[in-house]
Amino acid sequence: MSFYTTERLYSLLPAVYRQRDAEQGYPLRDLVALLAREAQVVEADIAGLYENWFVETCSEWAVPYLGDLIGVRPLAPTGESQRAEVAHTIGYRRRKGTAAVLEQLARDVTGWPAARVVEYFQLLSTTQFLNHLRPTNHRTPDLRRADPLEHLDGPFDRVAHTAEVRRAPPRRGRYNIPSVGLWLWRLEAYPLARVTAHPVAVPGKAGRCFTFSALGHDAPLFHLSLTETGPEHVAEEVNVPTPIRRRALHHRPEPFTGAAGSLRVFKDGTPVETAALGACNLEQWGRDPEAGTVGIDPVLGRLVFPEGEEPADALDGVQVTYAYGFPADLGGGPYPRSESFTQIDGEVVLTVGEGQAFASPDAALGGWIAAGRPSAVIEIHDSRTYRQTPTAAIPAGRRLEIRAAEGQRPTLLLAGDLNVTGGAGSAFEINGLVIAGGALHAGGNLDRLTLRHSTLVPGLGFGDDGLPTDPGAASLVVPGGQSEVLVEDSILGAVETADETEVRLVGSILDAGNPEAPAYGGAAGADFGGPVSISQCTVVGTVSTRQLTLGENTLFLGPVTAQRRQQGCVRFSFVPYGSRVPRRFRCQPELPEGVTAAQGELLTAQVRPIFTSLAYGHPAYCQLHWRGPEEILRGADDESEMGVYQPLRTPQREDNLRTRLDEYLPVGLEAGIFYVT
């Protein structure tokens, strides 16, 4: 609260002046109000100057200046604050050369969630001196202990190895005397609460088999990392956001299912006791858990109930709380999205969920119609699955938005297509949802269609076999009208648009399931889709457009064909040979004039992107592999990677870490950086 308020300053004046001021209409009080406002500005500036003395409270612009006072060299910008590194620098230097410092340094410099340092000279199979025994360092592993064997060649490997002479910095060798390994986790663990588990039809086990994923596909369950016990502690398996192993869940369930764990199961609204959650292998759904126990396979994300203990409600009777892994805040997810919410004056907010005004989006649409159809927001306040196919007709000049509340990720499981029509000047927006089972059809005279932080599931969904229901099917269709389509930070299947529809894709994934399948094209059998602008995207499939207005920092995995090439440009993108696009600027592959078809295909193959996975549902979906060509990994306009994860600036983070290692690595040792996820 400010010390210089108008009321306080005015009360300090003699009563006679205040009385005369009242007689003349308070001109003096108005003057005092101006003085108080300026005094508050000076007061806030003085308070800000005081806060800028300390790295914990200073403004972001002051962090480099504080770092310069203690000799912290500036690093390449990555979008992450340097505050943590500057705050810990003195502590780093006091403990310089220890494994714990290198581990904390890796987290602070890169901004990635976890790191572990391994001193490989401690894991060499050597003849031991009797005065310096290492009882845990056996020459041969104990083959009867399967749990340690699962860590072989990973960050938690404790088995002794024979020496190798390859160097660690280029990621070639590890087990050598001067080698130190920094293992980094790049995937974040995103927690979901009370998600509706998806029932799976298994012969002989009706109503007992479920997947944690609301879409019905297999996906590993991730662990929410626990805080380390102190600054000298080296990370263990429970301190990193990593997929949960079956044996770890079986032998040490407390970190995963206890008070700080991420796994919960609710049957018919009642929580299952954590002691009744057991690990098992459900690869073929063949194993039945013991009576009173719910079997969980964390590797596949499956669960099964014992015979006779299935839930009463086969569709919605099981809810689960868990965490999934993903590289970035993309698609429908529980990460912060409030800054992307659109707000307009006079709109009506209709809340959906348990304890809210409406029980389902369909019911909220009915309430919107009953309210006379003003501009409205339907906000879903849980992460359940809603099995329905809502349709909406938006009046002219009105706006309708369906969005997930902050921290939620609801799923709309459609029985058909989601049809949205609108009058002149109308708008429709989706934010934070996962939509499967059908496509979104936007028709009529809808003026604007906006998708933010949403997922229109590629392939429309998954069958009981875990495979896409309809690979290559369009998930967004805009058949006519003068609609403008904006897609930001979303995941989509194929897109079909009318010739006059203008589309802008930013920071998104367009996945047709196959680089040769149409990812963007014309609706109703047309050869070309409407004019499109694509920025920071990964497109799995071909693109056929009337005009490619802009293509930048994008990975086109299939050929691109633009009908009109006199306008627009493509820059800092991967465009396969055989594409017909507007003028190119610093794109890959670089094709000289007169190149033959065989030469063009060869040049394309040399720089073709390598991905960790292109399967939707995999934790590292569309993540570039570190073994890929340098032209792609550093080919964007800011020398970061091309594609949807360009804003992560992975190359700059790794370069910054290597710069800092020169200062903190002990003399004679060399470090290699290895990615776990």
Side-chain angles (χ1 to χ4, degrees), residues 344-348 374-375:
I344 62 175
D345 294 336
E347 66 183 2
V348 177
S375 294

Side-chain angles (χ1 to χ4, degrees), residues 192 210-222 243-244 263 285 296-303 322-326 409 462 466 615-620:
L192 291 172
F210 299 84
T211 62
F212 277 76
S213 167
L215 299 176
H217 66 284
D218 294 336
L221 309 182
F222 272 63
I244 303 174
L263 294 182
W285 297 101
I296 295 178
D297 188 338
V299 176
L300 299 177
R302 298 178 176 182
L303 71 147
Y322 70 102
Y324 70 96
F326 207 68
R409 194 195 71 171
F462 295 90
Y616 174 74
H618 191 280

Side-chain angles (χ1 to χ4, degrees), residues 563-595:
Q563 184 183 32
R564 180 184 299 169
R565 296 188 295 279
Q566 295 82 5
Q567 296 178 334
C569 75
V570 184
R571 56 192 296 271
F572 298 99
S573 298
F574 173 79
V575 186
Y577 174 77
S579 300
R580 302 176 63 190
V581 296
R583 61 185 184 277
R584 298 161 46 123
F585 180 75
R586 295 193 177 182
C587 291
Q588 297 294 336
E590 296 182 352
L591 301 174
E593 285 191 32
V595 64

Side-chain angles (χ1 to χ4, degrees), residues 33-98:
L34 295 175
L35 296 175
R37 186 180 64 184
E38 297 304 317
Q40 290 172 9
V41 172
V42 175
E43 182 185 34
D45 187 60
I46 293 174
L49 291 174
Y50 178 78
E51 291 179 349
N52 286 342
W53 288 356
F54 309 99
V55 69
E56 293 86 355
T57 59
C58 69
S59 302
E60 192 61 39
W61 64 265
V63 172
Y65 293 95
L66 294 178
D68 186 62
L69 294 176
I70 55 176
V72 178
R73 293 177 293 171
L75 297 172
T78 62
E80 297 287 336
S81 174
Q82 207 175 351
R83 189 186 303 270
E85 184 195 359
V86 173
H88 296 150
T89 294
I90 302 299
Y92 291 159
R93 292 171 180 169
R94 289 173 178 169
R95 299 178 289 121
K96 180 181 290 189
T98 63

Side-chain angles (χ1 to χ4, degrees), residues 441-458:
H441 284 251
N445 293 317
L446 189 69
D447 189 50
R448 295 186 308 279
L449 172 64
T450 304
L451 302 178
R452 288 192 176 100
H453 298 288
S454 298
T455 299
L456 304 183
V457 177

